[in-house]
Amino acid sequence: MSNETILDVKNLSVSFKTPNGEVQAVRDVSFSVGKGETLAIVGESGSGKSVTTKALMGLLPAPKGYIKNGNILYGNEDFAKLSDKQMTKYRGKDFAMIFQDPMTSLNPTMKVGTQVMEGLRMHRGMNKEEAKKEAVRLLELVRIPDAEARMNQYPHQFSGGMRQRVVIAIALACDPKVLIADEPTTALDVTIQAQILDIMKDIQEEFETSIIFITHDLGVVANVADRVAVMYAGKIVEIGSVDELFYNPKHPYTWGLLGSMPTVDQREEELFAIPGTPPDLLHPPKGDAFAPRNRYALKIDYEEQPPMFQVSDTHYAATWLLHENSPDVQPPASVQQRIDEMNGKWEAGK
Amino acid sequence: MARYIATRIVYMAITLFIIASVTFFLMKLMPGTPLSSADRLSESQQQIVLEQYGLDKPVPLQYVDYMLGLVQGNLGISFQFDNREVTEILGNRIGPSLQLGIQALFIGSILGALLGLVAAIFHNGILDFGSTLLAVIGTSIPSFIFAGLLQYFLGVQWQLFPVATWGTFAHTIMPTIALLIFPMAICARFMRTEMLEVLNKDYITTARAKGVGWTAVIFKHGLRNALIPLITILGPLAVSLLTGTLVIEQIFAVPGIGEQFVTAVTTNDYPMIMGTTLFFSFLFVLIILIIDILYGIIDPRIRLDGGK
Ligand SMILES: Nc1ncnc2c1ncn2[C@@H]1O[C@H](COP(=O)(O)OP(=O)(O)OP(=O)(O)O)[C@@H](O)[C@H]1O
Ligand SMILES: [Mg+2]
């Protein structure tokens, strides 16, 4: 992995206009992705992971969803400023996307081959023959057996795992620089999951693709990611390398996530659950959005948003606990134990 | 595909057989006889007439006779017109009705689909509002009102088309317009809803993520998927046209089947009623078959289930 930054997101805010007012789904999010690097984004449902990636792709549902503020810097362009039409040039070519549900993400009335060929003909100017050949090669690349015959079939003739491979083949068609995968394995069973992750890893090695990988599964994160961003209520609350986040988590929300991660040999009551529910993004709280669910919350948490405190060169967390005047708080024992266990296992598996 | 169609034709025959049987017995339950208004005939004269048409036999026997005739394509002889075959009368009348029905369905559904498409593309804009308004008017105002308005303005005031009767293509224009407004309005509303729904589907996002432009997404990925449900309502629409022609043919004095049917019912002309009902049923079943085949052509998920 080189240090070359390929995508730089700065102070991105995304909102939705709804009948009840403005839903602030993403609030002032900044991160960057290096060449050939995998950044995982984790966080509970509704924290703004998908909205962030849709904003990157310029696929927010217009005119309801819009980029309120911020920059999405790629090369010399700021995607946040481009029109839908200008974005079509980059979509599928520089940025490609893999979606969560392979059962619904392919057009049911179009041959699979045609769907793979579409991007090739558009972005790479291939004629029908060339595109056909290349599509077969792509289907083989994602390990679809009998690819040539499969070209003429329709999505309903494919299993879920096979469809997800097709979706990946479509995404890879034009050698994208950035591949965004929004929970690409959530809808698949465990063995298929592993195969899909394998394919993605191989491809990344071969083409130095940068990957933004959204998942709920911290096990998958440990497996595929170089860096992790933890999102809560539309904000990144902690970001750092996988090691830093797993060994030395700083934000109480990250503690909660690690603590609630199921392990193989555990009884259900041991699961550490984060109490309460996320805030209403129609009226985000003034202070730290996590404060009401945070047993270590300080008074200031209710009044002022914590800034990103630097833990190391690569590790930042937005919690007042890192302020020099804050009391020294360590993760709860149960969570610490879980972290140790996990690290042990993970180390062993390395 | 061929095997699929063959099975469907067998089902069609069975359906028609059941319809024929049910209509036959229902008709026997209708009050009066073909001779109800023939008071001037003496008892014995009536008896002779009844014998001549086989109406003196017990009902089950009449049924068997009728069904045997039916299998040979013989719908019997009309009571009202001296000794003319029902098939022949229907044959003479079928042309105008069919022409009106097909024109109305074809043009109506295509115009409607386009209207709905425009409404969906310019969702919530002024064109959307206009096409929705048109659709509401078209579904809520009955066709005979349009027929009257058309006759008055296009026919009498501006003299663009002949007011009524049958002959040239110009004669078909006004009844066709009157007939097509309903299917057009329904198709427009349906198409709008379907298209909006389809445009929210995940595969549309996939296509957009590939870099397909908005217009190409609508026509290459959206249209075909939105058309599938539209095809299912063509059947019921065609049926509504069958009944719609009854009224429209009266208003425009079109010598079609509809007009004939009304007289047949009022005079208890059994073979004629049976013949027309069966003919309508046949058309109906045929339409459903055609629509199923169309459905199979446009939706690969159905096509392949019945084999090649
Ligand atoms: N079309 C929309 N209209 C209004 N609000 C929306 C819309 N899409 C998303 N949101 C809001 O944005 C917030 C973030 O949603 P998002 O889909 O990004 O969550 P997520 O982190 O991807 O969750 P999940 O893990 O369930 O996929 C949600 O709280 C939701 O209310
Ligand atoms: Mg999501």
Side-chain angles (χ1 to χ4, degrees), chain A residues 16-18 23-26 43-54 61 64-65 100 182-183 214-216 231 234 279 281:
Chain A
F16 290 93
K17 278 179 230 147
T18 70
V23 174
Q24 302 176 34
V26 174
E44 67 195 308
S45 196
S47 55
K49 306 182 296 289
S50 298
V51 172
T52 305
T53 58
K54 282 199 182 124
K64 194 177 172 209
Q100 174 170 353
D182 191 348
E183 304 193 36
I214 295 181
T215 177
H216 285 279
M231 277 190 86
L281 294 174

Side-chain angles (χ1 to χ4, degrees), chain A residues 276-298:
Chain A
T277 51
D280 177 7
L281 294 174
L282 262 173
H283 312 285
K286 192 166 78 171
D288 181 354
F290 188 58
R293 303 172 72 184
N294 180 4
R295 67 169 109 156
Y296 310 102
L298 308 167

Side-chain angles (χ1 to χ4, degrees), chain B residues 104-117 135 139 180-194 226 230-231 233-234 237:
Chain B
L105 187 64
F106 200 71
I107 303 172
S109 54
I110 290 179
L111 279 183
L114 284 176
L115 219 66
L117 188 64
T139 42
L180 71 73
I181 287 179
F182 181 74
M184 180 185 76
I186 296 276
C187 285
R189 273 173 45 171
F190 215 78
M191 186 68 184
R192 176 182 180 274
T193 327
E194 281 307 322
L230 193 71
I231 284 172
I233 62 160
L234 287 184
L237 278 182

Side-chain angles (χ1 to χ4, degrees), chain A residues 57-60 84 88 91-92 95-97 99 101 104-110 115 118-119 122-123 154 156-157 170, chain B residues 201-214 216 220-222 224-225 228 298-305:
Chain A
M57 294 288 293
L59 287 177
L60 291 169
D84 182 62
T88 54
R91 265 187 229 129
F95 280 40
M97 191 150 179
F99 300 89
D101 189 354
T104 57
S105 47
L106 290 172
N107 185 342
T109 59
M110 195 186 263
Q115 299 191 51
E118 208 175 10
M122 239 171 357
H123 294 300
Y154 288 90
H156 71 273
Q157 293 163 287
I170 290 175
Chain B
K201 293 266 162 108
D202 288 349
Y203 56 82
I204 295 294
T205 315
T206 310
R208 299 246 295 135
K210 256 188 255 181
V212 183
W214 200 212
K220 277 174 75 182
H221 293 268
R224 192 177 191 136
N225 290 295
I228 291 170
I298 209 159
D299 189 343
R301 284 164 295 189
I302 293 178
R303 193 188 319 165
L304 286 135
D305 289 341

Side-chain angles (χ1 to χ4, degrees), chain B residues 219-274:
Chain B
F219 287 98
K220 277 174 75 182
H221 293 268
L223 198 56
R224 192 177 191 136
N225 290 295
L227 278 178
I228 291 170
L230 193 71
I231 284 172
T232 39
I233 62 160
L234 287 184
L237 278 182
V239 174
S240 81
L241 282 183
L242 288 182
T243 45
T245 44
L246 295 186
V247 179
I248 295 297
E249 282 176 13
Q250 293 285 340
I251 295 178
F252 288 96
V254 175
I257 286 183
E259 198 204 35
Q260 181 61 57
F261 192 44
V262 177
T263 2
V265 172
T266 48
T267 55
N268 276 325
D269 185 350
Y270 294 155
M272 199 61 215
I273 300 175
M274 278 294 291

